[in-house]
Coordinates of all heavy atoms in Angstrom, one line a residue:
M1 N -21.0 -1.7 -1.8 CA -19.8 -1.0 -1.9 C -18.8 -1.9 -2.7 O -18.6 -3.0 -2.3 CB -19.2 -0.7 -0.5 CG -18.0 0.2 -0.5 SD -17.5 0.7 1.2 CE -17.6 2.4 1.0
S2 N -18.2 -1.4 -3.7 CA -17.3 -2.2 -4.6 C -16.0 -2.4 -3.9 O -15.6 -1.6 -3.0 CB -17.2 -1.5 -5.9 OG -16.4 -0.4 -5.9
I3 N -15.2 -3.3 -4.5 CA -13.9 -3.6 -4.0 C -12.9 -2.5 -4.1 O -12.1 -2.2 -3.3 CB -13.3 -4.9 -4.6 CG1 -12.0 -5.4 -4.0 CG2 -13.1 -4.7 -6.1 CD1 -11.5 -6.7 -4.5
C4 N -13.1 -1.7 -5.2 CA -12.3 -0.5 -5.4 C -12.5 0.5 -4.4 O -11.5 1.1 -3.9 CB -12.6 0.1 -6.8 SG -12.2 -1.0 -8.2
C5 N -13.7 0.8 -4.0 CA -14.0 1.8 -2.9 C -13.5 1.3 -1.6 O -12.9 2.1 -0.8 CB -15.5 2.0 -2.9 SG -16.2 2.8 -4.3
V6 N -13.6 0.1 -1.3 CA -13.1 -0.4 0.0 C -11.6 -0.4 0.1 O -11.0 0.0 1.1 CB -13.6 -1.9 0.3 CG1 -13.0 -2.5 1.5 CG2 -15.1 -1.9 0.4
S7 N -11.0 -0.8 -1.0 CA -9.5 -0.7 -1.1 C -9.0 0.7 -0.9 O -8.0 0.9 -0.2 CB -9.0 -1.4 -2.4 OG -7.6 -1.3 -2.5
K8 N -9.6 1.6 -1.7 CA -9.2 3.0 -1.6 C -9.4 3.6 -0.2 O -8.5 4.3 0.3 CB -9.9 3.8 -2.7 CG -9.5 5.2 -2.7 CD -8.2 5.4 -3.5 CE -8.1 6.9 -3.8 NZ -6.9 7.1 -4.6
A9 N -10.5 3.3 0.4 CA -10.8 3.8 1.7 C -9.9 3.3 2.8 O -9.4 4.0 3.6 CB -12.3 3.5 2.1
S10 N -9.6 2.0 2.7 CA -8.7 1.4 3.7 C -7.3 1.9 3.5 O -6.5 2.1 4.5 CB -8.7 -0.1 3.6 OG -8.3 -0.5 2.3
Q11 N -6.9 2.2 2.3 CA -5.6 2.8 2.0 C -5.4 4.2 2.6 O -4.4 4.6 3.0 CB -5.3 2.8 0.5 CG -3.9 3.2 0.2 CD -2.9 2.3 0.7 OE1 -3.0 1.1 0.7 NE2 -1.7 2.8 1.1
I12 N -6.5 5.0 2.5 CA -6.4 6.3 3.1 C -6.3 6.3 4.6 O -5.6 7.1 5.1 CB -7.7 7.1 2.6 CG1 -7.6 7.4 1.1 CG2 -7.8 8.4 3.4 CD1 -8.8 8.0 0.5
I13 N -6.9 5.3 5.2 CA -6.8 5.2 6.7 C -5.3 4.9 7.1 O -4.8 5.5 8.0 CB -7.7 4.1 7.2 CG1 -9.2 4.6 7.0 CG2 -7.5 3.8 8.7 CD1 -10.2 3.5 7.2
C14 N -4.7 3.9 6.4 CA -3.4 3.4 6.8 C -2.7 3.0 5.5 O -3.2 2.0 4.9 CB -3.5 2.3 7.8 SG -1.9 1.7 8.3
P15 N -1.6 3.6 5.2 CA -0.8 3.1 4.0 C -0.4 1.7 4.1 O 0.1 1.2 5.1 CB 0.4 4.0 3.9 CG 0.0 5.2 4.7 CD -0.9 4.8 5.7
G16 N -0.7 0.9 3.0 CA -0.4 -0.5 3.0 C -1.7 -1.4 3.3 O -1.7 -2.5 2.9
L17 N -2.7 -0.8 3.9 CA -3.9 -1.5 4.2 C -4.7 -1.9 3.0 O -5.3 -3.0 2.9 CB -4.8 -0.7 5.2 CG -5.8 -1.5 5.9 CD1 -5.2 -2.6 6.8 CD2 -6.6 -0.5 6.9
G18 N -4.7 -1.1 2.0 CA -5.3 -1.4 0.7 C -4.7 -2.5 0.0 O -5.4 -3.4 -0.6
A19 N -3.4 -2.6 0.0 CA -2.6 -3.7 -0.6 C -2.9 -5.0 0.2 O -3.1 -6.0 -0.4 CB -1.1 -3.4 -0.7
A20 N -3.0 -4.9 1.5 CA -3.3 -6.1 2.3 C -4.8 -6.6 2.0 O -5.0 -7.8 1.9 CB -3.2 -5.8 3.8
Y21 N -5.7 -5.6 1.8 CA -7.0 -6.0 1.4 C -7.1 -6.7 0.1 O -7.9 -7.6 -0.1 CB -7.9 -4.7 1.4 CG -9.4 -5.0 1.1 CD1 -10.2 -5.5 2.1 CD2 -9.9 -4.8 -0.2 CE1 -11.5 -5.7 1.8 CE2 -11.2 -5.0 -0.5 CZ -12.0 -5.5 0.5 OH -13.3 -5.7 0.2
N22 N -6.2 -6.3 -0.8 CA -6.2 -6.9 -2.2 C -5.4 -8.2 -2.1 O -5.3 -8.9 -3.2 CB -5.5 -6.0 -3.2 CG -6.4 -4.8 -3.5 OD1 -7.6 -4.8 -3.4 ND2 -5.7 -3.7 -3.9
G23 N -4.9 -8.6 -1.0 CA -4.2 -9.9 -0.9 C -2.7 -9.8 -1.2 O -2.1 -10.9 -1.4
Q24 N -2.1 -8.6 -1.2 CA -0.7 -8.5 -1.5 C 0.0 -8.1 -0.2 O 0.3 -6.9 0.1 CB -0.5 -7.4 -2.5 CG -1.2 -7.7 -3.8 CD -1.2 -6.6 -4.8 OE1 -1.5 -5.5 -4.4 NE2 -0.9 -6.9 -6.0
T25 N 0.2 -9.1 0.7 CA 0.8 -8.8 2.0 C 2.2 -8.3 2.0 O 2.5 -7.4 2.8 CB 0.7 -10.0 2.9 OG1 1.3 -11.1 2.3 CG2 -0.7 -10.4 3.2
T26 N 3.0 -8.8 1.1 CA 4.4 -8.3 1.1 C 4.5 -6.9 0.6 O 5.2 -6.1 1.2 CB 5.2 -9.2 0.1 OG1 5.2 -10.6 0.5 CG2 6.7 -8.8 0.1
K27 N 3.7 -6.5 -0.4 CA 3.6 -5.2 -0.8 C 3.1 -4.2 0.3 O 3.6 -3.1 0.5 CB 2.7 -5.0 -2.0 CG 2.7 -3.7 -2.7 CD 1.7 -3.5 -3.8 CE 2.1 -4.2 -5.0 NZ 1.2 -3.8 -6.2
A28 N 2.1 -4.7 1.1 CA 1.5 -3.9 2.1 C 2.6 -3.6 3.2 O 2.7 -2.5 3.7 CB 0.3 -4.7 2.8
I29 N 3.4 -4.7 3.6 CA 4.4 -4.5 4.6 C 5.5 -3.5 4.1 O 5.9 -2.6 4.9 CB 5.0 -5.8 5.0 CG1 4.0 -6.7 5.7 CG2 6.3 -5.6 5.8 CD1 4.4 -8.1 5.9
V30 N 5.9 -3.6 2.8 CA 6.9 -2.7 2.3 C 6.3 -1.2 2.3 O 7.0 -0.3 2.7 CB 7.3 -3.1 0.9 CG1 8.2 -2.1 0.2 CG2 8.1 -4.4 1.0
Y31 N 5.1 -1.1 1.8 CA 4.5 0.3 1.8 C 4.4 0.9 3.2 O 4.8 2.1 3.4 CB 3.1 0.3 1.2 CG 3.0 0.2 -0.3 CD1 1.8 -0.1 -1.0 CD2 4.2 0.3 -1.1 CE1 1.8 -0.2 -2.3 CE2 4.1 0.2 -2.5 CZ 2.9 0.0 -3.1 OH 2.8 -0.1 -4.4
F32 N 4.0 0.1 4.1 CA 3.9 0.6 5.5 C 5.3 0.9 6.1 O 5.4 2.0 6.7 CB 3.2 -0.4 6.4 CG 2.9 0.1 7.7 CD1 1.9 1.1 7.9 CD2 3.6 -0.3 8.8 CE1 1.6 1.6 9.2 CE2 3.3 0.2 10.1 CZ 2.3 1.2 10.3
A33 N 6.3 0.1 5.8 CA 7.6 0.4 6.4 C 8.2 1.6 5.7 O 8.8 2.4 6.5 CB 8.5 -0.8 6.1
V34 N 8.1 1.8 4.4 CA 8.6 3.0 3.8 C 7.8 4.2 4.3 O 8.4 5.3 4.6 CB 8.5 2.9 2.3 CG1 8.8 4.2 1.6 CG2 9.4 1.8 1.8
F35 N 6.5 4.1 4.4 CA 5.7 5.2 4.9 C 6.2 5.6 6.4 O 6.3 6.8 6.6 CB 4.2 4.8 4.9 CG 3.3 5.8 5.5 CD1 3.0 7.0 4.8 CD2 2.8 5.7 6.8 CE1 2.1 7.9 5.4 CE2 2.0 6.6 7.4 CZ 1.6 7.7 6.6
V36 N 6.3 4.7 7.2 CA 6.8 5.0 8.6 C 8.2 5.6 8.6 O 8.4 6.5 9.4 CB 6.7 3.7 9.5 CG1 7.4 3.9 10.8 CG2 5.3 3.3 9.7
G37 N 9.1 5.0 7.8 CA 10.4 5.6 7.7 C 10.4 7.1 7.3 O 11.1 7.9 7.9
L38 N 9.7 7.3 6.2 CA 9.6 8.7 5.7 C 8.9 9.6 6.7 O 9.3 10.8 6.9 CB 8.8 8.8 4.4 CG 9.6 8.2 3.2 CD1 8.7 8.1 2.0 CD2 10.8 9.1 2.9
F39 N 7.9 9.1 7.4 CA 7.2 9.9 8.5 C 8.2 10.3 9.6 O 8.2 11.4 10.0 CB 6.0 9.2 9.0 CG 5.2 9.9 10.0 CD1 4.4 11.0 9.7 CD2 5.4 9.6 11.4 CE1 3.7 11.7 10.7 CE2 4.7 10.2 12.3 CZ 3.9 11.3 12.0
Q40 N 8.9 9.3 10.0 CA 9.9 9.5 11.1 C 11.0 10.6 10.7 O 11.3 11.4 11.5 CB 10.6 8.2 11.5 CG 9.7 7.4 12.4 CD 10.5 6.1 12.8 OE1 11.4 5.6 12.2 NE2 10.1 5.6 14.0
M41 N 11.5 10.4 9.5 CA 12.5 11.4 9.0 C 11.9 12.8 8.9 O 12.5 13.8 9.1 CB 13.0 10.9 7.6 CG 13.9 9.7 7.7 SD 15.3 9.8 8.9 CE 16.3 10.9 7.9
A42 N 10.6 12.9 8.4 CA 9.9 14.2 8.3 C 9.8 14.8 9.7 O 10.0 16.0 9.8 CB 8.6 14.0 7.6
V43 N 9.4 14.0 10.7 CA 9.2 14.6 12.0 C 10.5 14.9 12.7 O 10.7 16.0 13.3 CB 8.4 13.5 12.9 CG1 8.5 13.9 14.4 CG2 7.0 13.4 12.4
L44 N 11.5 14.1 12.5 CA 12.8 14.3 13.2 C 13.6 15.5 12.5 O 14.2 16.3 13.3 CB 13.7 13.1 13.2 CG 13.1 11.9 14.0 CD1 14.0 10.7 13.9 CD2 13.1 12.3 15.5
T45 N 13.6 15.6 11.2 CA 14.4 16.6 10.6 C 13.6 17.8 10.2 O 14.1 18.9 10.1 CB 15.0 16.0 9.3 OG1 14.0 15.7 8.4 CG2 15.9 14.8 9.6
G46 N 12.3 17.7 9.9 CA 11.5 18.8 9.5 C 11.8 19.2 8.0 O 11.4 20.3 7.6
T47 N 12.6 18.4 7.3 CA 13.0 18.8 6.0 C 11.8 18.6 5.0 O 11.2 17.6 5.1 CB 14.2 17.9 5.5 OG1 15.2 17.9 6.5 CG2 14.7 18.3 4.2
P48 N 11.5 19.6 4.2 CA 10.4 19.5 3.3 C 10.5 18.3 2.3 O 9.5 17.8 1.9 CB 10.4 20.8 2.5 CG 11.2 21.8 3.3 CD 12.2 20.9 4.1
L49 N 11.7 17.9 2.0 CA 11.9 16.7 1.1 C 11.3 15.5 1.7 O 10.6 14.8 1.0 CB 13.4 16.5 0.9 CG 13.8 15.3 0.0 CD1 13.3 15.5 -1.4 CD2 15.2 15.0 0.0
F50 N 11.5 15.2 3.0 CA 10.9 14.1 3.6 C 9.3 14.2 3.8 O 8.6 13.2 3.7 CB 11.5 13.8 4.9 CG 12.9 13.3 4.8 CD1 14.0 14.0 5.4 CD2 13.2 12.1 4.2 CE1 15.3 13.6 5.3 CE2 14.5 11.7 4.0 CZ 15.6 12.4 4.6
V51 N 8.9 15.4 4.0 CA 7.5 15.7 4.1 C 6.8 15.4 2.7 O 5.8 14.7 2.7 CB 7.2 17.1 4.5 CG1 5.7 17.4 4.5 CG2 7.7 17.3 5.9
L52 N 7.4 15.9 1.6 CA 6.9 15.6 0.3 C 7.0 14.1 0.0 O 6.1 13.5 -0.6 CB 7.6 16.4 -0.7 CG 7.4 17.9 -0.7 CD1 8.3 18.6 -1.7 CD2 5.9 18.2 -1.0
G53 N 8.0 13.4 0.4 CA 8.2 12.0 0.2 C 7.1 11.2 0.9 O 6.5 10.3 0.4
F54 N 6.8 11.6 2.1 CA 5.8 11.0 3.0 C 4.4 11.1 2.3 O 3.7 10.2 2.2 CB 5.9 11.7 4.4 CG 4.6 11.6 5.2 CD1 4.3 10.5 5.8 CD2 3.8 12.7 5.4 CE1 3.2 10.4 6.6 CE2 2.7 12.7 6.1 CZ 2.4 11.5 6.8
M55 N 4.1 12.3 1.9 CA 2.8 12.6 1.2 C 2.7 11.9 -0.1 O 1.7 11.3 -0.5 CB 2.6 14.1 1.1 CG 2.3 14.7 2.5 SD 2.4 16.5 2.5 CE 1.5 17.0 1.1
G56 N 3.8 11.9 -0.9 CA 3.9 11.2 -2.1 C 3.7 9.7 -2.0 O 3.0 9.0 -2.8
M57 N 4.3 9.1 -1.0 CA 4.2 7.7 -0.8 C 2.8 7.3 -0.4 O 2.3 6.3 -0.9 CB 5.2 7.2 0.4 CG 5.2 5.8 0.6 SD 5.7 4.8 -0.8 CE 5.2 3.2 -0.3
W58 N 2.1 8.1 0.4 CA 0.8 7.9 0.8 C -0.1 7.9 -0.5 O -1.0 7.0 -0.7 CB 0.3 8.9 1.7 CG -0.9 8.6 2.5 CD1 -1.9 7.8 2.2 CD2 -1.3 9.1 3.8 NE1 -2.9 7.7 3.1 CE2 -2.5 8.5 4.1 CE3 -0.7 10.0 4.7 CZ2 -3.2 8.8 5.3 CZ3 -1.3 10.3 5.9 CH2 -2.6 9.7 6.2
A59 N 0.1 8.9 -1.3 CA -0.8 9.0 -2.6 C -0.5 7.9 -3.5 O -1.4 7.3 -4.1 CB -0.5 10.4 -3.2
F60 N 0.8 7.5 -3.7 CA 1.2 6.4 -4.6 C 0.6 5.1 -4.2 O 0.1 4.4 -5.0 CB 2.7 6.3 -4.7 CG 3.1 5.1 -5.5 CD1 3.0 5.1 -6.9 CD2 3.6 4.0 -4.9 CE1 3.3 3.9 -7.6 CE2 3.9 2.9 -5.6 CZ 3.8 2.8 -6.9
S61 N 0.7 4.8 -2.9 CA 0.2 3.5 -2.4 C -1.4 3.5 -2.5 O -1.9 2.4 -2.8 CB 0.6 3.3 -1.0 OG 0.2 4.3 -0.1
A62 N -2.0 4.6 -2.3 CA -3.5 4.6 -2.5 C -3.9 4.4 -4.0 O -4.8 3.6 -4.3 CB -4.1 6.0 -2.0
L63 N -3.1 5.1 -4.9 CA -3.4 4.9 -6.3 C -3.1 3.4 -6.7 O -3.9 2.9 -7.5 CB -2.5 5.8 -7.1 CG -2.7 5.7 -8.6 CD1 -4.1 6.1 -9.1 CD2 -1.6 6.6 -9.3
D64 N -2.0 2.9 -6.2 CA -1.7 1.5 -6.6 C -2.7 0.5 -6.1 O -3.1 -0.4 -6.9 CB -0.3 1.1 -6.1 CG 0.1 -0.3 -6.4 OD1 0.2 -0.5 -7.7 OD2 0.3 -1.1 -5.5
S65 N -3.2 0.7 -4.9 CA -4.2 -0.3 -4.4 C -5.5 -0.1 -5.1 O -6.2 -1.1 -5.4 CB -4.4 -0.1 -2.9 OG -5.1 1.1 -2.6
W66 N -5.9 1.1 -5.5 CA -7.1 1.3 -6.3 C -7.0 0.7 -7.7 O -7.9 0.0 -8.1 CB -7.4 2.8 -6.4 CG -8.6 3.1 -7.2 CD1 -9.9 2.9 -6.9 CD2 -8.6 3.8 -8.5 NE1 -10.7 3.3 -7.9 CE2 -9.9 3.9 -8.9 CE3 -7.6 4.3 -9.3 CZ2 -10.3 4.5 -10.1 CZ3 -7.9 4.9 -10.5 CH2 -9.3 5.0 -10.9
R67 N -5.8 0.8 -8.4 CA -5.7 0.2 -9.7 C -5.6 -1.3 -9.6 O -6.1 -2.0 -10.5 CB -4.4 0.8 -10.3 CG -4.5 2.2 -10.7 CD -3.3 2.8 -11.3 NE -2.7 2.0 -12.3 CZ -1.4 2.1 -12.8 NH1 -0.7 3.0 -12.3 NH2 -1.0 1.3 -13.7
T68 N -5.0 -1.8 -8.6 CA -5.0 -3.3 -8.4 C -6.4 -3.8 -8.2 O -6.8 -4.9 -8.7 CB -4.0 -3.7 -7.3 OG1 -2.7 -3.2 -7.5 CG2 -4.0 -5.2 -7.1
A69 N -7.2 -3.1 -7.3 CA -8.5 -3.5 -7.1 C -9.4 -3.5 -8.3 O -10.2 -4.4 -8.6 CB -9.2 -2.6 -6.0
Q70 N -9.1 -2.5 -9.2 CA -9.9 -2.4 -10.5 C -9.5 -3.6 -11.3 O -10.4 -4.2 -12.0 CB -9.5 -1.1 -11.2 CG -10.3 0.0 -10.7 CD -10.1 1.2 -11.7 OE1 -9.0 1.4 -12.2 NE2 -11.1 2.1 -11.8
A71 N -8.2 -4.0 -11.4 CA -7.8 -5.1 -12.2 C -8.4 -6.4 -11.6 O -8.9 -7.3 -12.4 CB -6.3 -5.2 -12.1
I72 N -8.5 -6.6 -10.3 CA -9.1 -7.8 -9.7 C -10.5 -7.8 -10.0 O -11.1 -8.9 -10.4 CB -8.8 -7.8 -8.2 CG1 -7.3 -8.0 -7.9 CG2 -9.7 -8.9 -7.5 CD1 -7.0 -7.8 -6.4
R73 N -11.2 -6.7 -10.0 CA -12.7 -6.6 -10.2 C -13.0 -7.0 -11.7 O -14.0 -7.6 -12.0 CB -13.2 -5.3 -9.9 CG -14.7 -5.2 -9.9 CD -15.2 -3.9 -9.4 NE -15.4 -3.1 -10.5 CZ -15.7 -1.8 -10.5 NH1 -15.8 -1.2 -9.3 NH2 -15.9 -1.1 -11.5
S74 N -12.1 -6.6 -12.6 CA -12.3 -6.9 -14.0 C -11.9 -8.3 -14.4 O -12.1 -8.7 -15.5 CB -11.6 -5.9 -14.9 OG -10.2 -6.1 -14.8
G75 N -11.4 -9.0 -13.4 CA -11.1 -10.4 -13.7 C -9.6 -10.7 -14.1 O -9.3 -11.8 -14.3
V76 N -8.8 -9.7 -14.2 CA -7.4 -9.8 -14.5 C -6.7 -9.9 -13.2 O -6.8 -9.1 -12.3 CB -6.9 -8.6 -15.3 CG1 -5.4 -8.8 -15.6 CG2 -7.7 -8.4 -16.5
T77 N -5.9 -11.0 -13.0 CA -5.1 -11.2 -11.8 C -3.9 -10.3 -11.9 O -3.2 -10.3 -12.9 CB -4.7 -12.6 -11.5 OG1 -4.0 -13.1 -12.6 CG2 -5.9 -13.5 -11.3
P78 N -3.6 -9.5 -10.9 CA -2.4 -8.7 -11.0 C -1.1 -9.5 -11.0 O -1.1 -10.6 -10.5 CB -2.4 -7.9 -9.7 CG -3.3 -8.6 -8.8 CD -4.3 -9.4 -9.6
D79 N -0.1 -9.0 -11.7 CA 1.1 -9.7 -11.8 C 1.9 -9.7 -10.5 O 2.6 -8.7 -10.3 CB 1.9 -9.1 -13.0 CG 3.2 -10.0 -13.3 OD1 3.2 -11.1 -13.0 OD2 4.1 -9.4 -13.9
V80 N 1.6 -10.7 -9.7 CA 2.2 -10.7 -8.3 C 3.2 -11.8 -8.2 O 2.9 -12.9 -8.7 CB 1.1 -10.9 -7.3 CG1 1.7 -10.9 -5.9 CG2 0.0 -9.8 -7.4
A81 N 4.3 -11.5 -7.7 CA 5.3 -12.6 -7.4 C 4.7 -13.5 -6.3 O 3.8 -13.1 -5.6 CB 6.6 -12.0 -7.0
E82 N 5.3 -14.7 -6.2 CA 4.9 -15.6 -5.2 C 5.0 -14.9 -3.8 O 6.1 -14.5 -3.4 CB 5.7 -16.9 -5.2 CG 5.4 -17.7 -6.4 CD 4.1 -18.3 -6.4 OE1 3.6 -18.7 -5.3 OE2 3.5 -18.4 -7.5
D83 N 3.9 -14.8 -3.1 CA 3.9 -14.1 -1.8 C 4.4 -15.1 -0.7 O 3.8 -16.1 -0.4 CB 2.5 -13.6 -1.5 CG 2.6 -12.6 -0.4 OD1 3.6 -12.5 0.3 OD2 1.6 -11.8 -0.3
I84 N 5.6 -14.8 -0.2 CA 6.2 -15.8 0.7 C 5.4 -15.9 2.0 O 5.2 -17.1 2.5 CB 7.7 -15.3 1.1 CG1 8.5 -15.3 -0.2 CG2 8.3 -16.1 2.1 CD1 9.8 -14.5 0.0
L85 N 4.9 -14.9 2.5 CA 4.1 -15.0 3.7 C 2.8 -15.8 3.5 O 2.5 -16.6 4.4 CB 3.7 -13.6 4.2 CG 4.9 -12.7 4.8 CD1 4.4 -11.4 5.1 CD2 5.5 -13.4 5.9
V86 N 2.1 -15.6 2.4 CA 0.9 -16.4 2.1 C 1.2 -17.8 2.0 O 0.6 -18.7 2.5 CB 0.2 -15.8 0.9 CG1 -1.0 -16.7 0.5 CG2 -0.3 -14.4 1.2
K87 N 2.3 -18.1 1.2 CA 2.7 -19.5 1.1 C 3.1 -20.2 2.4 O 2.8 -21.3 2.6 CB 3.9 -19.6 0.1 CG 3.5 -19.4 -1.4 CD 4.7 -19.5 -2.3 CE 5.4 -20.8 -2.2 NZ 6.5 -20.9 -3.1
R88 N 3.8 -19.4 3.2 CA 4.3 -20.0 4.5 C 3.1 -20.3 5.4 O 3.1 -21.3 6.1 CB 5.2 -19.1 5.1 CG 5.8 -19.6 6.5 CD 7.0 -18.8 6.9 NE 8.1 -19.0 6.0 CZ 9.1 -18.1 5.9 NH1 9.1 -17.1 6.7 NH2 10.0 -18.3 5.0
F89 N 2.1 -19.4 5.5 CA 1.1 -19.6 6.5 C -0.1 -20.3 6.0 O -1.0 -20.8 6.7 CB 0.6 -18.2 7.0 CG 1.7 -17.6 7.9 CD1 2.3 -16.4 7.5 CD2 2.2 -18.2 9.0 CE1 3.3 -15.8 8.3 CE2 3.2 -17.6 9.8 CZ 3.7 -16.4 9.4
S90 N -0.2 -20.5 4.7 CA -1.4 -21.2 4.1 C -1.1 -22.7 4.0 O -2.0 -23.5 3.7 CB -1.9 -20.6 2.8 OG -0.8 -20.8 1.8
G91 N 0.1 -23.1 4.1 CA 0.4 -24.6 4.1 C 1.1 -25.0 2.9 O 1.4 -25.1 2.0

């Protein structure tokens, strides 16, 4: 199973998980936080705008993790800012 398939499958299970699998922890935390916020607003208000935002965020984060995984597989490192969490915990 290729890295693209694993990244896409993990992203479908939980938004942000595909970015975490690709090594982009900050992006994963942001995607998950935005997803949870939109989900809560959709549940609490029932407004179609938040429901569409929730579904759009899920689709966007899955597409982004898949494209990043393709870039990693082809040997191109994604243009990632210094990941503060990785730097802090890796020493």
